[in-house]
Amino acid sequence: KPIGVVTLPAGGDPGATSRIQTFAFDGSGRIGFVRYAPADDGRRHIQLVRIDPTDPTPLGNARRVTLPVTAEQIVGHAAFAWVGGDRWVVLTNASGQRLTLDRPATGFSVNFADGAAEPIADFAPAAIHSDPSAASGNQQGFAIIHHRGAESAVTRFSPDAKPLWSIPAGPFVVAIAMNPAGELGVLDGVAGRIMVFSTPGQLDRRHSIPAAIGREPNYLAGLSADRLGGWFLHDFRGDPTIWRINDQGIALAGFTPRFGDGRGFTLFGGLQHAPNGTLWTSDGTAFLRIAVDGLVSLFIGRQTSPTTLQAIGAVVVDGADRILALDRATAAVHIFDAVG
């Protein structure tokens, strides 16, 4: 039975940038991301949020569109992609069913111009991949990773969500990225390669990642398009974490994003290349602009600190009745006495 309540001095609500999973840029350099916002009815509503990183108060002037679906009604995370102008698509899986079943996903068309979020008619691919980075798009359309039984497939759609082509992708595809030329990069995490497909679904070239970087990667986690040609590869906990690979499969540079005091952090959303050429990532609580050497030069959101407990990820009580709280944002362990 409960014997009391201990309130730990954790930081307040980080607001709009709470629990960032991934993000994307539109053609004007604005950042889009999904937020699960608590409402008065006790449920979490899904919002697509857009901010302008050049705005002096980007979070204060954020645009939000609430989808007609709650977080409790979906499985996994919502995926999303920009498809031109003020328009985005958001893709979800209905709850109560396994992700590997051949069942329709649900798509929504979001227009920031008028704040509308409408279901996409006749949008019925099999279940989307549970990773929020399972979609990528631009004004030429979008693509998703989705399930067909125990296998995965990648399907390319027009901007109005009409299927154009589909390719079998095997069970180990972990990320996709669409470059400005309309080519689609598909990252196979086990085979350790980037497969590049041109329209309409023709395999154009393969890039071996071990051959490119000169060693086996640690854990392939993400792929994004380099607007100058080629790709940014996210090697989770690798050294370095980010590789820049050109369109011929040659590694040009590698770096690990870090704060000015030398602290590293877990990347959410990998690395994204903005239309103005700047590089961005996230630590899960803020959007971080980084230099070509990986050093953070600007943040939008809540700045993390290992000395302040901000987002409790796990709690245990040790033999001395001390409370040990793990900060999800910084991986620092904060120790409190029995009364907090």
Side-chain angles (χ1 to χ4, degrees), residues 61-270:
N61 292 323
R63 296 287 303 276
R64 298 175 174 86
V65 176
T66 301
L67 272 63
V69 63
T70 68
E72 290 77 12
Q73 294 172 310
I74 69 169
V75 174
H77 297 282
F80 53 94
W82 172 68
V83 291
D86 290 311
R87 296 179 299 118
W88 296 67
V89 293
V90 181
L91 315 166
T92 67
N93 290 314
S95 64
Q97 302 180 63
R98 293 178 57 199
L99 287 178
T100 53
L101 294 180
D102 287 325
R103 56 182 175 73
T106 302
F108 298 93
S109 176
V110 175
N111 192 332
F112 280 103
D114 58 11
E118 302 291 341
I120 300 173
D122 302 321
F123 181 78
I128 63 167
H129 197 285
S130 59
D131 191 291
S133 300
S136 180
N138 57 29
Q139 67 272 20
Q140 302 176 54
F142 67 98
I144 63 171
I145 307 171
H146 59 98
H147 297 277
R148 288 177 174 170
E151 296 294 312
S152 294
V154 174
T155 299
R156 174 77 180 268
F157 294 84
S158 65
D160 57 355
K162 304 300 182 185
L164 300 177
W165 49 262
S166 185
I167 55 172
F172 304 116
V173 169
V174 297
I176 56 175
M178 192 180 298
N179 67 18
E183 295 179 322
L184 186 68
V186 178
L187 177 62
D188 188 318
V190 172
R193 64 188 179 192
I194 301 170
M195 298 174 288
V196 183
F197 293 85
S198 57
T199 303
Q202 299 297 314
L203 179 61
D204 186 61
R205 55 195 182 274
R206 292 186 181 92
H207 302 318
S208 166
I209 293 169
I213 67 177
R215 61 167 175 79
E216 291 293 329
N218 183 60
Y219 184 87
L220 296 174
L223 185 73
S224 60
D226 183 346
R227 293 180 181 273
L228 300 180
W231 314 93
F232 288 103
L233 179 71
H234 179 196
D235 185 14
F236 179 69
R237 292 188 177 177
D239 184 17
T241 303
I242 296 292
W243 288 95
R244 192 171 201 164
I245 298 175
N246 70 11
D247 59 1
Q248 299 303 309
I250 299 171
L252 303 179
F255 55 88
T256 297
R258 65 197 186 281
F259 292 109
D261 59 6
R263 287 185 295 122
F265 52 90
T266 299
L267 274 60
F268 289 82

Side-chain angles (χ1 to χ4, degrees), residues 10-19 35-38 59 285 301-302 309-311:
D13 182 6
T17 57
S18 173
R19 295 183 178 273
R35 177 174 184 252
Y36 300 91
L59 298 181
T285 61
R302 186 173 184 176
L309 178 60
Q310 299 177 72

